[in-house]
Amino acid sequence: MKKILLIGAGRSTLFLIEYIEQHAAAENWELTVADRDQHMIDAHVKSDKTRKTLLDISDSHHLEKLVSDHDLVVSMLPAHMHMSVARYCLQYKKHLCTASYLTDEMKALDPEVKKAGLVFLNEMGLDPGLDHLSAMKLLDKLREGGNHILEFESFTGGLIAPESEDNPWKYKFTWNPRNVVLAGQGGAVKFIQNGMYKFIPYHKLFRRTEIIEIDKYGKFEGYANRDSLKYRETYGLQDVQTMYRGTLRRPGFCRAWDLFVQLGATDDSYVLPDSENMTHRDFINTFLAYNIHDSVEIKLRQYLKIDQDDVDLWEKLEWLDVFTHEKVGLKDATPAQVLEHILKKKWSLKTEDKDMIVMWHKVVFEDQHKNTVHINSSTVVKGEPGERTAMAKTVGLPLALGCRMILEEKVKQTGTILPITKDIYTPVLAELEKFNIRFTETITS
Amino acid sequence: MKKILLIGAGRSTLFLIEYIEQHAAAENWELTVADRDQHMIDAHVKSDKTRKTLLDISDSHHLEKLVSDHDLVVSMLPAHMHMSVARYCLQYKKHLCTASYLTDEMKALDPEVKKAGLVFLNEMGLDPGLDHLSAMKLLDKLREGGNHILEFESFTGGLIAPESEDNPWKYKFTWNPRNVVLAGQGGAVKFIQNGMYKFIPYHKLFRRTEIIEIDKYGKFEGYANRDSLKYRETYGLQDVQTMYRGTLRRPGFCRAWDLFVQLGATDDSYVLPDSENMTHRDFINTFLAYNIHDSVEIKLRQYLKIDQDDVDLWEKLEWLDVFTHEKVGLKDATPAQVLEHILKKKWSLKTEDKDMIVMWHKVVFEDQHKNTVHINSSTVVKGEPGERTAMAKTVGLPLALGCRMILEEKVKQTGTILPITKDIYTPVLAELEKFNIRFTETITS
């Protein structure tokens, strides 16, 4: 009997729990789901074999006891909370699996984790996760064929299905809204293009987009992720000339989003005085110069140089009700929190809405005959209305399969690892195909 | 005999040391100048009565001994180093004087400083310092006359004298260049205008300027300082409708400086790869999109929307040699450090150059007859070529006079205080007039 502990039973654990429950009998697994919220647990646990535990993560005795009673822990806690779980895993010699970025702090445990013969598998969700699995499969195949990789680009987007694109942004929140509002903050974007290092400050990020096209789904625009450079080493692409990772939206989104960036409306570093009694209109006006005669609209147009006939851009703003006299009603809020609050009123999924995950890789390589070849690999995953979203599926299934591989002792390395080796990506990607998560490759010379 | 210890003997201590030395015999003062650099000490100490001490600030035993041997300490160390000095001052019951902003950490010492009957006088230089002295004199006079203050604005600029304005920026470094490059960073600008809170993000700061004019000196432009709001309380202007503090440059400076901000060239948060071997041109190019055919100039124009006929703006850039193939030659440098390095080559004062300090206050008040009245108060201080700069004078003399008043026991309050009370500003401003630092008032109804 192998005992799995899942800490955190939020929306993206639906497919994870389902997969483990469906295979529990055959694989001889026992699952415990722990969360601080009983409703979350009850909503996602389907099997009466699964144990349910209310857990306050600040109760370290309870956490310690839980970890010590299991063989493998999946932490779906916010990223900064993984370390306390990781330390108990190390102490009691338990494996660990997360969908979060491998931090320096976690990495520092590597020698101890190795010594204990454990696997701490990180970045095993969608992005990071599925991007690594699919990119490494493609890159390794090309390298094994004797090709030399020149350029690598990779974009992922958590979007809505075309049939749910019923607003001018062609976007709704399908993921943590706070992270969407704060995306791109916290340091300059770094990448390399044709051998030249390139840096983009936050206030220019959403104007430096790239258009990509995916068969049957049309055009998307991508903006760069924070640090593409560090993945050169991860992917074994130290001498690659172009390395660029980014996030996808529908064309036009970024230019409109940039208006909020320019205003300073995404700032999370200070609290707005009396935010509770502000209207949406006051919120926009607080970033504009004082003028008793001019309207908020004309001041905004003038400040951000929005032409009178730029109707697509303007429609997006108006549709969000940012010029209305509706009260914000949020106490002691930062600009980012107020903006998130306003956006949630409009960008929430309706009952019938479906989300959609788009992932796209581009590799340029030189083949053995010195020909330059372009190859694209992409996948589009559509969700179902309700909780069975593409996001929950593409985050939860890689995690579930990671757990399975660890418990079946099929992961060859020990330590704090990423899913970038063949022993992991081959079986995981094969299994994901059964769930209709498959990549299509297109080659152009 | 009263013993004064000056820690830090940099450029802005020239007038401070001179004033104390000239009055030492009559006032029965003894001065010790401590610095880690013997040359700095020798350059500024003129009297053979003044004691000189080499001090490594990390040698806490030496620091402790020095503080305990004196009656008053002037700390001209970088702001973050004042606290270790302050703690010894408290332990050995010595007064303290600095030209730096009163930090929360320093403020927290207030009860203990009061209990010990000591004066820790902060913000006693130019800005902060002379701005407080002159603003409070004006505000108190108006309030005592039964007027109600409606608006307060205050701008200070460390500039060059008109006769030295021989470059298109009409600017040279007359102060710590690093602080000039980083000015405005670290959080949104906050002020209040006509009762409305206003916030400006860093990337818009240099496009939200205000033009002011000073008789005989022409026009200046001002950009906002970080947090104007907190001075409402300091100045007793809790219900003021407009509170705005800023920094002065010559018109056109800010719009051109904004180009560096837009590029991300003032970012101090990451190191540029191989900065040593970059050329000035490479530096600009690293912030621009890759394109093998287009020149750096055309890419910059397109990216930052600089019109072909915007010759004033373009001249400023070209004059700085930012497009040349000159090597940066600075190892492991951040963008801000590279930019500072490039600017220093062009913005350094020549032997014959004079600097100039401009300070300007505007107060709008309602008089007893309900008339709205505008009053301006301003001063312009020109330096002499060489070390006798207006900057050194306007920073050093307020400090020297602050020390004098503390030693003469003319400062009525104890604790961690600012120079905002009549007992301080009246005699200090009167004494400053002897050095030709005087304010001119203009009233318009």
Side-chain angles (χ1 to χ4, degrees):
Chain A
M1 179 71 76
K2 296 280 188 182
K3 295 166 83 182
I4 304 170
L5 170 65
L6 168 63
I7 307 176
R11 289 203 306 166
S12 47
T13 57
L14 187 140
F15 285 85
L16 166 62
I17 294 173
E18 191 171 278
Y19 186 92
I20 295 174
E21 287 184 336
Q22 284 171 355
H23 292 76
E27 302 288 336
N28 209 14
W29 293 338
E30 187 180 278
L31 174 65
T32 304
V33 176
D35 197 289
R36 62 175 174 185
D37 182 348
Q38 187 69 46
H39 296 291
M40 278 294 182
I41 300 174
D42 293 338
H44 294 136
V45 170
K46 296 283 148 50
S47 160
D48 53 16
K49 298 264 169 43
T50 299
R51 295 155 60 151
K52 305 173 178 184
T53 306
L54 265 182
L55 169 67
D56 173 356
I57 193 71
S58 65
D59 178 353
S60 54
H61 283 295
H62 190 191
L63 177 63
E64 180 173 2
K65 178 78 174 59
L66 276 174
V67 172
S68 68
D69 280 349
H70 291 79
D71 298 297
L72 180 150
V73 181
V74 184
S75 175
M76 291 296 276
L77 294 166
H80 69 276
M81 292 181 172
H82 292 322
M83 282 310 290
S84 50
V85 178
R87 286 199 195 91
Y88 286 128
C89 285
L90 198 53
Q91 186 180 338
Y92 293 98
K93 298 203 185 300
K94 311 298 180 186
H95 301 293
L96 176 65
C97 209
T98 86
S100 303
Y101 282 104
L102 174 58
T103 58
D104 289 340
E105 214 183 349
M106 182 72 85
K107 220 181 204 166
L109 298 181
D110 185 64
E112 289 175 83
V113 177
K114 273 208 175 79
K115 210 172 144 192
L118 294 172
V119 180
F120 282 15
L121 179 58
N122 306 272
E123 308 195 12
M124 193 60 178
L126 166 63
D127 172 12
L130 186 57
D131 53 348
H132 297 331
L133 297 163
S134 51
M136 287 307 293
K137 183 183 168 186
L138 178 64
L139 291 169
D140 282 350
K141 186 181 73 176
L142 292 172
R143 284 185 285 220
E144 283 160 18
N147 304 292
H148 179 61
I149 311 292
L150 302 172
E151 301 176 21
F152 176 78
E153 292 184 34
S154 176
F155 291 90
T156 304
L159 301 160
I160 44 175
E163 52 269 42
S164 296
E165 287 177 345
D166 59 3
N167 75 49
W169 292 80
K170 298 185 177 177
Y171 185 78
K172 295 178 189 181
F173 287 129
T174 64
W175 184 59
N176 186 343
R178 178 168 164 80
N179 292 0
V180 174
V181 172
L182 299 182
Q185 295 191 36
V189 155
K190 303 169 187 177
F191 63 97
I192 186 166
Q193 192 170 2
N194 295 72
M196 311 274 274
Y197 286 102
K198 295 292 176 186
F199 302 90
I200 312 177
Y202 174 60
H203 60 265
K204 282 289 180 191
L205 180 57
F206 296 96
R207 298 308 302 271
R208 294 275 290 266
T209 55
E210 192 173 305
I211 295 287
I212 70 157
E213 190 161 1
I214 294 180
D215 198 30
K216 288 183 280 181
Y217 291 91
K219 288 183 175 163
F220 299 88
E221 69 184 4
Y223 66 86
N225 290 351
R226 265 284 289 291
D227 189 356
S228 293
L229 298 181
K230 65 177 179 182
Y231 284 94
R232 286 182 298 180
E233 204 172 328
T234 308
Y235 288 0
L237 295 172
Q238 285 84 347
D239 62 347
V240 79
Q241 293 294 295
T242 296
M243 181 86 193
Y244 191 97
R245 298 175 83 247
T247 299
L248 292 175
R249 295 287 180 260
R250 280 295 189 184
F253 178 98
C254 291
R255 196 164 75 96
W257 181 255
D258 183 59
L259 299 177
F260 294 123
V261 174
Q262 292 308 312
L263 283 178
T266 61
D267 196 324
D268 199 43
S269 70
Y270 64 93
V271 165
L272 288 167
D274 200 27
S275 60
E276 199 175 3
N277 293 309
M278 268 184 157
T279 65
H280 292 190
R281 192 176 182 83
D282 293 337
F283 175 63
I284 299 297
N285 197 25
T286 204
F287 304 110
L288 300 171
Y290 176 83
N291 185 305
I292 200 170
H293 301 294
D294 299 335
S295 69
V296 171
E297 286 86 347
I298 195 70
K299 289 194 296 183
L300 183 71
R301 278 187 184 276
Q302 188 273 335
Y303 187 42
L304 300 184
K305 300 190 176 63
I306 306 170
D307 288 327
Q308 201 62 34
D309 58 358
D310 199 342
V311 287
D312 288 346
L313 191 64
W314 199 253
E315 187 196 4
K316 289 190 180 70
L317 278 186
E318 286 200 318
W319 182 85
L320 283 176
D321 289 343
V322 294
F323 301 120
T324 66
H325 295 278
E326 188 173 336
K327 275 223 175 153
V328 168
L330 202 64
K331 229 177 167 174
D332 298 332
T334 66
Q337 287 167 338
V338 171
L339 181 60
E340 178 189 337
H341 188 74
I342 293 173
L343 295 172
K344 272 179 180 165
K345 299 178 190 177
K346 303 292 288 190
W347 277 357
S348 292
L349 292 169
K350 294 179 200 156
T351 326
E352 68 274 21
D353 278 335
K354 297 177 203 160
D355 75 328
M356 180 172 82
I357 297 296
V358 179
M359 188 174 284
W360 182 90
H361 307 300
K362 171 185 164 187
V363 181
V364 179
F365 62 90
E366 195 179 66
D367 70 12
Q368 287 170 304
H369 311 293
K370 300 282 175 195
N371 297 318
T372 301
V373 185
H374 291 236
I375 184 163
N376 290 328
S377 170
S378 64
T379 188
V380 177
V381 182
K382 277 205 228 177
E384 296 168 42
E387 289 223 305
R388 300 184 71 79
T389 62
M391 183 64 83
K393 187 173 177 179
T394 52
V395 172
L397 287 177
L399 264 175
L401 299 175
C403 294
R404 176 173 194 158
M405 293 197 54
I406 293 171
L407 293 176
E408 289 179 345
E409 291 173 21
K410 285 183 180 159
V411 175
K412 286 177 186 158
Q413 299 160 272
T414 54
T416 56
I417 64 168
L418 302 185
I420 52 174
T421 47
K422 197 174 284 187
D423 56 324
I424 300 176
Y425 67 66
T426 305
V428 170
L429 288 171
E431 184 78 4
L432 287 175
E433 292 207 357
K434 297 183 191 161
F435 293 88
N436 281 314
I437 301 174
R438 53 170 61 88
F439 284 78
T440 313
E441 290 177 11
T442 327
I443 296 187
T444 51
S445 270
Chain B
M1 179 71 75
K2 295 282 188 181
K3 296 166 84 180
I4 304 169
L5 170 64
L6 168 63
I7 307 175
R11 288 202 306 166
S12 48
T13 58
L14 187 141
F15 285 85
L16 167 62
I17 294 174
E18 191 172 276
Y19 186 92
I20 295 175
E21 288 184 336
Q22 284 171 357
H23 293 76
E27 302 288 337
N28 209 15
W29 292 338
E30 188 179 279
L31 175 64
T32 304
V33 176
D35 197 288
R36 63 174 173 185
D37 182 349
Q38 187 68 48
H39 297 291
M40 277 295 180
I41 301 175
D42 293 339
H44 295 136
V45 170
K46 294 284 148 50
S47 159
D48 53 16
K49 297 265 167 44
T50 299
R51 294 156 59 153
K52 305 172 178 182
T53 305
L54 267 181
L55 169 66
D56 173 357
I57 193 70
S58 65
D59 178 353
S60 54
H61 282 295
H62 190 191
L63 177 64
E64 180 173 2
K65 179 76 173 61
L66 276 175
V67 171
S68 68
D69 281 349
H70 292 78
D71 299 297
L72 180 150
V73 181
V74 184
S75 175
M76 292 295 277
L77 294 166
H80 69 276
M81 293 181 173
H82 292 322
M83 281 309 290
S84 49
V85 178
R87 284 197 196 92
Y88 286 128
C89 284
L90 197 54
Q91 186 180 338
Y92 292 99
K93 297 201 187 298
K94 311 299 181 185
H95 300 295
L96 175 65
C97 210
T98 86
S100 303
Y101 281 102
L102 174 57
T103 58
D104 288 340
E105 214 183 350
M106 182 73 83
K107 221 180 202 165
L109 298 181
D110 186 64
E112 289 176 82
V113 176
K114 271 205 176 78
K115 210 173 144 190
L118 295 172
V119 180
F120 282 15
L121 179 58
N122 308 271
E123 307 195 12
M124 193 58 179
L126 164 63
D127 173 11
L130 186 56
D131 53 348
H132 296 332
L133 296 163
S134 51
M136 287 307 293
K137 183 184 168 186
L138 178 63
L139 291 169
D140 282 350
K141 189 181 72 175
L142 292 172
R143 284 185 285 219
E144 283 161 16
N147 304 292
H148 179 62
I149 311 293
L150 301 172
E151 301 178 18
F152 176 79
E153 292 186 32
S154 175
F155 291 92
T156 304
L159 301 159
I160 45 174
E163 52 269 41
S164 296
E165 287 176 343
D166 57 3
N167 74 48
W169 294 78
K170 298 186 177 177
Y171 185 79
K172 295 178 189 181
F173 286 129
T174 64
W175 185 60
N176 186 343
R178 178 168 165 81
N179 292 1
V180 174
V181 172
L182 300 182
Q185 296 190 35
V189 156
K190 302 167 189 178
F191 63 97
I192 185 165
Q193 192 169 2
N194 296 70
M196 310 274 275
Y197 287 102
K198 294 293 176 185
F199 302 91
I200 313 178
Y202 174 62
H203 58 266
K204 281 290 179 189
L205 180 58
F206 296 96
R207 297 308 300 270
R208 292 275 290 266
T209 56
E210 193 173 304
I211 295 287
I212 70 156
E213 190 160 3
I214 293 179
D215 198 30
K216 287 184 282 185
Y217 291 92
K219 288 184 174 161
F220 299 89
E221 69 183 5
Y223 66 86
N225 290 351
R226 266 283 290 289
D227 189 355
S228 294
L229 298 181
K230 66 176 179 182
Y231 284 94
R232 286 183 299 180
E233 206 173 326
T234 309
Y235 290 180
L237 297 172
Q238 285 83 347
D239 62 347
V240 78
Q241 292 295 296
T242 296
M243 182 86 193
Y244 192 97
R245 301 174 81 247
T247 299
L248 293 174
R249 295 287 180 260
R250 281 297 190 181
F253 178 99
C254 291
R255 196 164 74 97
W257 181 255
D258 183 59
L259 299 177
F260 294 122
V261 174
Q262 292 310 311
L263 283 178
T266 61
D267 196 324
D268 198 42
S269 70
Y270 64 92
V271 166
L272 288 166
D274 201 26
S275 61
E276 200 175 2
N277 293 310
M278 267 183 158
T279 64
H280 293 191
R281 191 176 184 82
D282 292 338
F283 175 63
I284 299 298
N285 197 25
T286 205
F287 304 109
L288 299 171
Y290 176 83
N291 185 306
I292 200 169
H293 301 294
D294 299 333
S295 69
V296 171
E297 287 87 346
I298 196 70
K299 288 194 296 183
L300 183 70
R301 279 188 184 277
Q302 189 271 337
Y303 188 41
L304 301 184
K305 301 189 175 62
I306 306 170
D307 288 328
Q308 200 63 35
D309 57 358
D310 199 343
V311 287
D312 288 346
L313 192 64
W314 199 253
E315 187 195 6
K316 288 189 181 69
L317 277 186
E318 285 202 316
W319 182 86
L320 283 176
D321 290 343
V322 293
F323 300 120
T324 66
H325 294 278
E326 189 173 335
K327 275 225 176 151
V328 167
L330 201 64
K331 230 176 166 174
D332 298 330
T334 65
Q337 286 166 339
V338 171
L339 181 60
E340 179 189 336
H341 188 74
I342 293 172
L343 295 172
K344 272 181 180 164
K345 298 178 188 176
K346 304 290 289 191
W347 277 358
S348 292
L349 292 169
K350 294 179 199 155
T351 327
E352 68 276 20
D353 278 335
K354 295 178 206 161
D355 76 328
M356 181 170 82
I357 297 296
V358 179
M359 188 173 285
W360 182 90
H361 306 301
K362 171 186 163 186
V363 181
V364 178
F365 61 92
E366 196 179 64
D367 70 12
Q368 287 169 305
H369 312 292
K370 299 281 174 194
N371 297 316
T372 302
V373 186
H374 291 235
I375 184 163
N376 290 329
S377 170
S378 65
T379 188
V380 177
V381 182
K382 277 204 227 173
E384 297 168 41
E387 289 223 306
R388 300 183 70 78
T389 61
M391 184 64 84
K393 190 173 175 178
T394 52
V395 172
L397 287 177
L399 265 177
L401 299 175
C403 294
R404 177 174 195 157
M405 293 198 52
I406 293 171
L407 292 177
E408 289 179 347
E409 291 174 18
K410 286 184 180 159
V411 175
K412 285 177 187 158
Q413 301 159 271
T414 54
T416 56
I417 64 168
L418 301 185
I420 52 173
T421 48
K422 198 174 283 185
D423 56 323
I424 300 176
Y425 68 65
T426 305
V428 170
L429 288 171
E431 184 77 5
L432 287 176
E433 291 208 354
K434 297 183 191 161
F435 293 88
N436 282 313
I437 301 174
R438 52 170 62 87
F439 283 77
T440 313
E441 289 177 11
T442 326
I443 297 186
T444 50
S445 269

